[in-house]
Amino acid sequence: MYLEQGRACAEKPTVLLLHGFTSGKEEWSEIMRLLRPVAHVIAIDMPGHGETTRNPRGDHSIAGSVARIRQFVEAKGLHEHGYHVVGSSWGGHVAGVYASKYPHNLHSASLMCPSGLEPQKVTRFVRSLMEGRNYLLPVDSSEFQEFLSCVFYRQPPLPRWALAIGLRDRVPHYPFFETVFDQLMETDQRFLLQKSLADIKTPTLAMWGKYDQVLDPSGLDILCGSIANCHGHVLDECGHTVAIEQAAAAGNLIKDHVVKHHRSGVVNIR
């Protein structure tokens, strides 16, 4: 499933948005609004997330997700005229590896605090994994509060009923998400982005929240030091949820980036 605004045309760039682990296409709502005047925008539910089918026996590795994104790009005909890819966290990992593998007619990439890089520091989230816990899969209201405090710079005040609804919608899918997470942690997948950086030739925008407690902001230096054409930005008063906490700043950076690197061409969208 996906959200789409605008129509593809030679004058406007097409932007494909890839969300993070356990999130959904709605993560991009505010950034889509900001891009609406200048771009044709598509936000998809990543494999096994949102309204897509959850198949616990499927290939949910980074390589497997890259292959499915490619299928979507070809089905929509995006590769025939040129497009831009944007990814956050896990979606950023997928977007980066995708850019290294499918550069043809990919005009730019934007990576927001992507996973897939060897951390320079042990973050709060990584420490929790070492202790046998996963903040991304809270099972009660106390753990949900801990999850929010980990991913946000300023934890949003949520009433108990909102926490209860959030848990109700998430917890039934945890067996599936645990299967996906285990695949993402496989030795050949965990740092696949870092292994692919030298092959990214597409102009790249990199962003990181200054106070990210999930993935260490030192990843920004890795991206900018390894990708030939990469510009990095640290976003203040921001944790891991860049597309939500700093939607205006991130959206404007993405807008400027895609407009700068848009190349008009023949449009043939199915």
PDB file of all heavy atoms in Angstrom, residues 27 30-31 112 148-156 209-213 235-250:
ATOM      1  N   GLU A  27       4.135   8.148   8.661  1.00  0.00           N
ATOM      2  CA  GLU A  27       5.279   8.851   9.254  1.00  0.00           C
ATOM      3  C   GLU A  27       5.671  10.092   8.438  1.00  0.00           C
ATOM      4  O   GLU A  27       6.190  11.064   8.971  1.00  0.00           O
ATOM      5  CB  GLU A  27       6.472   7.886   9.334  1.00  0.00           C
ATOM      6  CG  GLU A  27       7.799   8.498   9.738  1.00  0.00           C
ATOM      7  CD  GLU A  27       8.930   7.492   9.684  1.00  0.00           C
ATOM      8  OE1 GLU A  27       8.705   6.299  10.003  1.00  0.00           O
ATOM      9  OE2 GLU A  27      10.055   7.872   9.310  1.00  0.00           O
ATOM     10  N   GLU A  30       3.728  15.043   7.266  1.00  0.00           N
ATOM     11  CA  GLU A  30       4.091  16.458   7.261  1.00  0.00           C
ATOM     12  C   GLU A  30       5.103  16.762   6.159  1.00  0.00           C
ATOM     13  O   GLU A  30       5.012  17.801   5.487  1.00  0.00           O
ATOM     14  CB  GLU A  30       4.664  16.861   8.630  1.00  0.00           C
ATOM     15  CG  GLU A  30       5.008  18.330   8.760  1.00  0.00           C
ATOM     16  CD  GLU A  30       3.804  19.261   8.583  1.00  0.00           C
ATOM     17  OE1 GLU A  30       2.658  18.794   8.704  1.00  0.00           O
ATOM     18  OE2 GLU A  30       4.019  20.467   8.316  1.00  0.00           O
ATOM     19  N   ILE A  31       6.048  15.877   5.947  1.00  0.00           N
ATOM     20  CA  ILE A  31       7.032  16.099   4.885  1.00  0.00           C
ATOM     21  C   ILE A  31       6.362  16.023   3.517  1.00  0.00           C
ATOM     22  O   ILE A  31       6.708  16.785   2.602  1.00  0.00           O
ATOM     23  CB  ILE A  31       8.195  15.096   5.014  1.00  0.00           C
ATOM     24  CG1 ILE A  31       9.063  15.505   6.213  1.00  0.00           C
ATOM     25  CG2 ILE A  31       9.028  15.026   3.734  1.00  0.00           C
ATOM     26  CD1 ILE A  31      10.268  14.636   6.464  1.00  0.00           C
ATOM     27  N   MET A 112      18.195   9.583   6.313  1.00  0.00           N
ATOM     28  CA  MET A 112      17.935  10.181   7.620  1.00  0.00           C
ATOM     29  C   MET A 112      18.238   9.153   8.707  1.00  0.00           C
ATOM     30  O   MET A 112      17.558   8.123   8.796  1.00  0.00           O
ATOM     31  CB  MET A 112      16.477  10.647   7.697  1.00  0.00           C
ATOM     32  CG  MET A 112      16.110  11.650   6.606  1.00  0.00           C
ATOM     33  SD  MET A 112      14.326  11.821   6.317  1.00  0.00           S
ATOM     34  CE  MET A 112      13.790  12.467   7.890  1.00  0.00           C
ATOM     35  N   LEU A 148       9.191   5.754  23.850  1.00  0.00           N
ATOM     36  CA  LEU A 148       9.023   7.134  23.389  1.00  0.00           C
ATOM     37  C   LEU A 148      10.180   8.014  23.842  1.00  0.00           C
ATOM     38  O   LEU A 148      10.675   8.858  23.087  1.00  0.00           O
ATOM     39  CB  LEU A 148       7.692   7.700  23.903  1.00  0.00           C
ATOM     40  CG  LEU A 148       6.417   7.069  23.339  1.00  0.00           C
ATOM     41  CD1 LEU A 148       5.183   7.613  24.058  1.00  0.00           C
ATOM     42  CD2 LEU A 148       6.300   7.293  21.844  1.00  0.00           C
ATOM     43  N   SER A 149      10.632   7.832  25.071  1.00  0.00           N
ATOM     44  CA  SER A 149      11.731   8.650  25.576  1.00  0.00           C
ATOM     45  C   SER A 149      13.037   8.328  24.871  1.00  0.00           C
ATOM     46  O   SER A 149      13.945   9.157  24.821  1.00  0.00           O
ATOM     47  CB  SER A 149      11.886   8.451  27.087  1.00  0.00           C
ATOM     48  OG  SER A 149      12.411   7.167  27.388  1.00  0.00           O
ATOM     49  N   CYS A 150      13.126   7.140  24.296  1.00  0.00           N
ATOM     50  CA  CYS A 150      14.336   6.739  23.578  1.00  0.00           C
ATOM     51  C   CYS A 150      14.369   7.301  22.165  1.00  0.00           C
ATOM     52  O   CYS A 150      15.420   7.725  21.682  1.00  0.00           O
ATOM     53  CB  CYS A 150      14.433   5.214  23.548  1.00  0.00           C
ATOM     54  SG  CYS A 150      15.945   4.577  22.749  1.00  0.00           S
ATOM     55  N   VAL A 151      13.238   7.330  21.492  1.00  0.00           N
ATOM     56  CA  VAL A 151      13.232   7.732  20.084  1.00  0.00           C
ATOM     57  C   VAL A 151      12.994   9.227  19.871  1.00  0.00           C
ATOM     58  O   VAL A 151      13.335   9.769  18.818  1.00  0.00           O
ATOM     59  CB  VAL A 151      12.194   6.925  19.267  1.00  0.00           C
ATOM     60  CG1 VAL A 151      12.523   5.438  19.326  1.00  0.00           C
ATOM     61  CG2 VAL A 151      10.775   7.190  19.744  1.00  0.00           C
ATOM     62  N   PHE A 152      12.414   9.908  20.886  1.00  0.00           N
ATOM     63  CA  PHE A 152      12.154  11.348  20.769  1.00  0.00           C
ATOM     64  C   PHE A 152      13.141  12.152  21.607  1.00  0.00           C
ATOM     65  O   PHE A 152      13.570  11.703  22.675  1.00  0.00           O
ATOM     66  CB  PHE A 152      10.737  11.689  21.238  1.00  0.00           C
ATOM     67  CG  PHE A 152       9.653  11.347  20.258  1.00  0.00           C
ATOM     68  CD1 PHE A 152       8.983  10.133  20.342  1.00  0.00           C
ATOM     69  CD2 PHE A 152       9.294  12.232  19.251  1.00  0.00           C
ATOM     70  CE1 PHE A 152       7.977   9.807  19.452  1.00  0.00           C
ATOM     71  CE2 PHE A 152       8.291  11.914  18.350  1.00  0.00           C
ATOM     72  CZ  PHE A 152       7.632  10.702  18.443  1.00  0.00           C
ATOM     73  N   TYR A 153      13.463  13.355  21.147  1.00  0.00           N
ATOM     74  CA  TYR A 153      14.227  14.301  21.964  1.00  0.00           C
ATOM     75  C   TYR A 153      13.327  14.849  23.057  1.00  0.00           C
ATOM     76  O   TYR A 153      13.708  14.888  24.226  1.00  0.00           O
ATOM     77  CB  TYR A 153      14.769  15.433  21.078  1.00  0.00           C
ATOM     78  CG  TYR A 153      15.375  16.575  21.854  1.00  0.00           C
ATOM     79  CD1 TYR A 153      16.542  16.393  22.608  1.00  0.00           C
ATOM     80  CD2 TYR A 153      14.784  17.842  21.844  1.00  0.00           C
ATOM     81  CE1 TYR A 153      17.098  17.442  23.329  1.00  0.00           C
ATOM     82  CE2 TYR A 153      15.343  18.893  22.558  1.00  0.00           C
ATOM     83  CZ  TYR A 153      16.498  18.694  23.296  1.00  0.00           C
ATOM     84  OH  TYR A 153      17.056  19.725  24.003  1.00  0.00           O
ATOM     85  N   ARG A 154      12.136  15.279  22.658  1.00  0.00           N
ATOM     86  CA  ARG A 154      11.122  15.699  23.614  1.00  0.00           C
ATOM     87  C   ARG A 154       9.969  14.705  23.544  1.00  0.00           C
ATOM     88  O   ARG A 154       9.244  14.664  22.569  1.00  0.00           O
ATOM     89  CB  ARG A 154      10.608  17.109  23.297  1.00  0.00           C
ATOM     90  CG  ARG A 154      11.591  18.212  23.650  1.00  0.00           C
ATOM     91  CD  ARG A 154      10.892  19.568  23.680  1.00  0.00           C
ATOM     92  NE  ARG A 154      11.810  20.615  24.076  1.00  0.00           N
ATOM     93  CZ  ARG A 154      12.498  21.371  23.222  1.00  0.00           C
ATOM     94  NH1 ARG A 154      12.345  21.192  21.924  1.00  0.00           N
ATOM     95  NH2 ARG A 154      13.315  22.314  23.652  1.00  0.00           N
ATOM     96  N   GLN A 155       9.831  13.904  24.583  1.00  0.00           N
ATOM     97  CA  GLN A 155       8.795  12.881  24.583  1.00  0.00           C
ATOM     98  C   GLN A 155       7.416  13.509  24.539  1.00  0.00           C
ATOM     99  O   GLN A 155       7.075  14.355  25.366  1.00  0.00           O
ATOM    100  CB  GLN A 155       8.924  12.017  25.841  1.00  0.00           C
ATOM    101  CG  GLN A 155       7.918  10.889  25.913  1.00  0.00           C
ATOM    102  CD  GLN A 155       8.135  10.037  27.145  1.00  0.00           C
ATOM    103  OE1 GLN A 155       9.198  10.064  27.746  1.00  0.00           O
ATOM    104  NE2 GLN A 155       7.115   9.278  27.520  1.00  0.00           N
ATOM    105  N   PRO A 156       6.584  13.137  23.565  1.00  0.00           N
ATOM    106  CA  PRO A 156       5.237  13.717  23.471  1.00  0.00           C
ATOM    107  C   PRO A 156       4.370  13.244  24.639  1.00  0.00           C
ATOM    108  O   PRO A 156       4.376  12.064  24.996  1.00  0.00           O
ATOM    109  CB  PRO A 156       4.714  13.177  22.135  1.00  0.00           C
ATOM    110  CG  PRO A 156       5.485  11.916  21.907  1.00  0.00           C
ATOM    111  CD  PRO A 156       6.852  12.165  22.485  1.00  0.00           C
ATOM    112  N   GLY A 209      19.561  13.434  13.794  1.00  0.00           N
ATOM    113  CA  GLY A 209      19.152  14.169  14.984  1.00  0.00           C
ATOM    114  C   GLY A 209      20.316  14.243  15.960  1.00  0.00           C
ATOM    115  O   GLY A 209      20.976  13.238  16.236  1.00  0.00           O
ATOM    116  N   LYS A 210      20.576  15.420  16.483  1.00  0.00           N
ATOM    117  CA  LYS A 210      21.725  15.642  17.360  1.00  0.00           C
ATOM    118  C   LYS A 210      21.678  14.767  18.601  1.00  0.00           C
ATOM    119  O   LYS A 210      22.719  14.357  19.136  1.00  0.00           O
ATOM    120  CB  LYS A 210      21.782  17.117  17.758  1.00  0.00           C
ATOM    121  CG  LYS A 210      22.992  17.507  18.592  1.00  0.00           C
ATOM    122  CD  LYS A 210      23.011  19.006  18.859  1.00  0.00           C
ATOM    123  CE  LYS A 210      24.228  19.419  19.669  1.00  0.00           C
ATOM    124  NZ  LYS A 210      24.248  20.901  19.899  1.00  0.00           N
ATOM    125  N   TYR A 211      20.463  14.465  19.078  1.00  0.00           N
ATOM    126  CA  TYR A 211      20.312  13.720  20.329  1.00  0.00           C
ATOM    127  C   TYR A 211      19.723  12.333  20.100  1.00  0.00           C
ATOM    128  O   TYR A 211      18.970  11.822  20.928  1.00  0.00           O
ATOM    129  CB  TYR A 211      19.448  14.528  21.302  1.00  0.00           C
ATOM    130  CG  TYR A 211      20.042  15.882  21.628  1.00  0.00           C
ATOM    131  CD1 TYR A 211      19.578  17.039  20.997  1.00  0.00           C
ATOM    132  CD2 TYR A 211      21.093  15.999  22.531  1.00  0.00           C
ATOM    133  CE1 TYR A 211      20.136  18.275  21.275  1.00  0.00           C
ATOM    134  CE2 TYR A 211      21.659  17.233  22.818  1.00  0.00           C
ATOM    135  CZ  TYR A 211      21.178  18.366  22.182  1.00  0.00           C
ATOM    136  OH  TYR A 211      21.746  19.592  22.468  1.00  0.00           O
ATOM    137  N   ASP A 212      20.083  11.733  18.989  1.00  0.00           N
ATOM    138  CA  ASP A 212      19.603  10.383  18.664  1.00  0.00           C
ATOM    139  C   ASP A 212      20.148   9.381  19.679  1.00  0.00           C
ATOM    140  O   ASP A 212      21.364   9.238  19.832  1.00  0.00           O
ATOM    141  CB  ASP A 212      20.062  10.012  17.246  1.00  0.00           C
ATOM    142  CG  ASP A 212      19.338   8.799  16.684  1.00  0.00           C
ATOM    143  OD1 ASP A 212      18.874   7.953  17.478  1.00  0.00           O
ATOM    144  OD2 ASP A 212      19.227   8.696  15.450  1.00  0.00           O
ATOM    145  N   GLN A 213      19.245   8.663  20.364  1.00  0.00           N
ATOM    146  CA  GLN A 213      19.641   7.637  21.328  1.00  0.00           C
ATOM    147  C   GLN A 213      19.477   6.225  20.768  1.00  0.00           C
ATOM    148  O   GLN A 213      19.736   5.249  21.467  1.00  0.00           O
ATOM    149  CB  GLN A 213      18.798   7.755  22.607  1.00  0.00           C
ATOM    150  CG  GLN A 213      18.949   9.068  23.343  1.00  0.00           C
ATOM    151  CD  GLN A 213      18.138   9.080  24.616  1.00  0.00           C
ATOM    152  OE1 GLN A 213      18.550   8.550  25.661  1.00  0.00           O
ATOM    153  NE2 GLN A 213      16.941   9.658  24.551  1.00  0.00           N
ATOM    154  N   LEU A 235      20.565  18.015  12.946  1.00  0.00           N
ATOM    155  CA  LEU A 235      19.343  18.731  13.313  1.00  0.00           C
ATOM    156  C   LEU A 235      19.250  18.837  14.826  1.00  0.00           C
ATOM    157  O   LEU A 235      19.213  17.821  15.532  1.00  0.00           O
ATOM    158  CB  LEU A 235      18.114  18.012  12.751  1.00  0.00           C
ATOM    159  CG  LEU A 235      18.099  17.861  11.223  1.00  0.00           C
ATOM    160  CD1 LEU A 235      16.857  17.124  10.779  1.00  0.00           C
ATOM    161  CD2 LEU A 235      18.186  19.210  10.536  1.00  0.00           C
ATOM    162  N   ASP A 236      19.244  20.063  15.322  1.00  0.00           N
ATOM    163  CA  ASP A 236      19.209  20.306  16.759  1.00  0.00           C
ATOM    164  C   ASP A 236      17.810  20.013  17.320  1.00  0.00           C
ATOM    165  O   ASP A 236      16.832  19.946  16.585  1.00  0.00           O
ATOM    166  CB  ASP A 236      19.594  21.760  17.043  1.00  0.00           C
ATOM    167  CG  ASP A 236      20.036  21.969  18.485  1.00  0.00           C
ATOM    168  OD1 ASP A 236      20.201  20.969  19.210  1.00  0.00           O
ATOM    169  OD2 ASP A 236      20.222  23.132  18.886  1.00  0.00           O
ATOM    170  N   GLU A 237      17.755  19.809  18.625  1.00  0.00           N
ATOM    171  CA  GLU A 237      16.489  19.500  19.313  1.00  0.00           C
ATOM    172  C   GLU A 237      15.747  18.372  18.607  1.00  0.00           C
ATOM    173  O   GLU A 237      14.533  18.438  18.354  1.00  0.00           O
ATOM    174  CB  GLU A 237      15.610  20.752  19.411  1.00  0.00           C
ATOM    175  CG  GLU A 237      16.246  21.862  20.234  1.00  0.00           C
ATOM    176  CD  GLU A 237      15.306  23.016  20.494  1.00  0.00           C
ATOM    177  OE1 GLU A 237      14.179  22.992  19.957  1.00  0.00           O
ATOM    178  OE2 GLU A 237      15.689  23.933  21.232  1.00  0.00           O
ATOM    179  N   CYS A 238      16.475  17.321  18.311  1.00  0.00           N
ATOM    180  CA  CYS A 238      15.902  16.198  17.562  1.00  0.00           C
ATOM    181  C   CYS A 238      16.556  14.895  17.982  1.00  0.00           C
ATOM    182  O   CYS A 238      17.779  14.822  18.160  1.00  0.00           O
ATOM    183  CB  CYS A 238      16.118  16.423  16.065  1.00  0.00           C
ATOM    184  SG  CYS A 238      15.308  15.197  15.009  1.00  0.00           S
ATOM    185  N   GLY A 239      15.727  13.866  18.135  1.00  0.00           N
ATOM    186  CA  GLY A 239      16.220  12.541  18.428  1.00  0.00           C
ATOM    187  C   GLY A 239      16.237  11.693  17.166  1.00  0.00           C
ATOM    188  O   GLY A 239      16.683  12.147  16.119  1.00  0.00           O
ATOM    189  N   HIS A 240      15.692  10.482  17.255  1.00  0.00           N
ATOM    190  CA  HIS A 240      15.730   9.555  16.122  1.00  0.00           C
ATOM    191  C   HIS A 240      14.588   9.791  15.141  1.00  0.00           C
ATOM    192  O   HIS A 240      14.699   9.448  13.965  1.00  0.00           O
ATOM    193  CB  HIS A 240      15.667   8.118  16.650  1.00  0.00           C
ATOM    194  CG  HIS A 240      15.919   7.083  15.603  1.00  0.00           C
ATOM    195  ND1 HIS A 240      17.115   6.975  14.919  1.00  0.00           N
ATOM    196  CD2 HIS A 240      15.111   6.101  15.107  1.00  0.00           C
ATOM    197  CE1 HIS A 240      17.044   5.979  14.054  1.00  0.00           C
ATOM    198  NE2 HIS A 240      15.845   5.429  14.139  1.00  0.00           N
ATOM    199  N   THR A 241      13.502  10.399  15.603  1.00  0.00           N
ATOM    200  CA  THR A 241      12.306  10.554  14.766  1.00  0.00           C
ATOM    201  C   THR A 241      12.366  11.862  13.980  1.00  0.00           C
ATOM    202  O   THR A 241      11.537  12.761  14.161  1.00  0.00           O
ATOM    203  CB  THR A 241      11.030  10.506  15.626  1.00  0.00           C
ATOM    204  OG1 THR A 241      11.137  11.502  16.651  1.00  0.00           O
ATOM    205  CG2 THR A 241      10.851   9.148  16.257  1.00  0.00           C
ATOM    206  N   VAL A 242      13.317  11.960  13.075  1.00  0.00           N
ATOM    207  CA  VAL A 242      13.567  13.197  12.328  1.00  0.00           C
ATOM    208  C   VAL A 242      12.329  13.651  11.557  1.00  0.00           C
ATOM    209  O   VAL A 242      11.984  14.837  11.549  1.00  0.00           O
ATOM    210  CB  VAL A 242      14.757  13.006  11.367  1.00  0.00           C
ATOM    211  CG1 VAL A 242      14.937  14.232  10.477  1.00  0.00           C
ATOM    212  CG2 VAL A 242      16.035  12.719  12.146  1.00  0.00           C
ATOM    213  N   ALA A 243      11.656  12.721  10.892  1.00  0.00           N
ATOM    214  CA  ALA A 243      10.505  13.078  10.042  1.00  0.00           C
ATOM    215  C   ALA A 243       9.329  13.616  10.843  1.00  0.00           C
ATOM    216  O   ALA A 243       8.420  14.221  10.276  1.00  0.00           O
ATOM    217  CB  ALA A 243      10.055  11.864   9.231  1.00  0.00           C
ATOM    218  N   ILE A 244       9.352  13.426  12.159  1.00  0.00           N
ATOM    219  CA  ILE A 244       8.272  13.913  13.014  1.00  0.00           C
ATOM    220  C   ILE A 244       8.721  15.125  13.823  1.00  0.00           C
ATOM    221  O   ILE A 244       8.082  16.177  13.804  1.00  0.00           O
ATOM    222  CB  ILE A 244       7.780  12.793  13.958  1.00  0.00           C
ATOM    223  CG1 ILE A 244       7.230  11.620  13.142  1.00  0.00           C
ATOM    224  CG2 ILE A 244       6.724  13.313  14.929  1.00  0.00           C
ATOM    225  CD1 ILE A 244       6.874  10.400  13.968  1.00  0.00           C
ATOM    226  N   GLU A 245       9.861  14.992  14.516  1.00  0.00           N
ATOM    227  CA  GLU A 245      10.316  16.077  15.393  1.00  0.00           C
ATOM    228  C   GLU A 245      10.811  17.300  14.627  1.00  0.00           C
ATOM    229  O   GLU A 245      10.666  18.430  15.093  1.00  0.00           O
ATOM    230  CB  GLU A 245      11.431  15.572  16.313  1.00  0.00           C
ATOM    231  CG  GLU A 245      10.964  14.678  17.426  1.00  0.00           C
ATOM    232  CD  GLU A 245      12.032  14.487  18.484  1.00  0.00           C
ATOM    233  OE1 GLU A 245      12.992  13.732  18.241  1.00  0.00           O
ATOM    234  OE2 GLU A 245      11.904  15.097  19.559  1.00  0.00           O
ATOM    235  N   GLN A 246      11.449  17.081  13.505  1.00  0.00           N
ATOM    236  CA  GLN A 246      11.993  18.192  12.727  1.00  0.00           C
ATOM    237  C   GLN A 246      11.502  18.095  11.281  1.00  0.00           C
ATOM    238  O   GLN A 246      12.283  18.213  10.336  1.00  0.00           O
ATOM    239  CB  GLN A 246      13.527  18.185  12.780  1.00  0.00           C
ATOM    240  CG  GLN A 246      14.096  18.620  14.114  1.00  0.00           C
ATOM    241  CD  GLN A 246      13.918  20.109  14.367  1.00  0.00           C
ATOM    242  OE1 GLN A 246      13.415  20.839  13.526  1.00  0.00           O
ATOM    243  NE2 GLN A 246      14.324  20.567  15.544  1.00  0.00           N
ATOM    244  N   ALA A 247      10.202  17.899  11.141  1.00  0.00           N
ATOM    245  CA  ALA A 247       9.625  17.719   9.809  1.00  0.00           C
ATOM    246  C   ALA A 247       9.862  18.932   8.922  1.00  0.00           C
ATOM    247  O   ALA A 247      10.180  18.795   7.737  1.00  0.00           O
ATOM    248  CB  ALA A 247       8.129  17.433   9.921  1.00  0.00           C
ATOM    249  N   ALA A 248       9.720  20.136   9.468  1.00  0.00           N
ATOM    250  CA  ALA A 248       9.890  21.342   8.655  1.00  0.00           C
ATOM    251  C   ALA A 248      11.326  21.477   8.170  1.00  0.00           C
ATOM    252  O   ALA A 248      11.582  21.698   6.974  1.00  0.00           O
ATOM    253  CB  ALA A 248       9.479  22.576   9.458  1.00  0.00           C
ATOM    254  N   ALA A 249      12.279  21.338   9.087  1.00  0.00           N
ATOM    255  CA  ALA A 249      13.694  21.468   8.708  1.00  0.00           C
ATOM    256  C   ALA A 249      14.095  20.371   7.730  1.00  0.00           C
ATOM    257  O   ALA A 249      14.729  20.627   6.697  1.00  0.00           O
ATOM    258  CB  ALA A 249      14.571  21.421   9.951  1.00  0.00           C
ATOM    259  N   ALA A 250      13.721  19.121   8.039  1.00  0.00           N
ATOM    260  CA  ALA A 250      14.074  17.997   7.166  1.00  0.00           C
ATOM    261  C   ALA A 250      13.373  18.121   5.818  1.00  0.00           C
ATOM    262  O   ALA A 250      13.987  17.892   4.767  1.00  0.00           O
ATOM    263  CB  ALA A 250      13.694  16.678   7.836  1.00  0.00           C
TER     264      ALA A 250
END
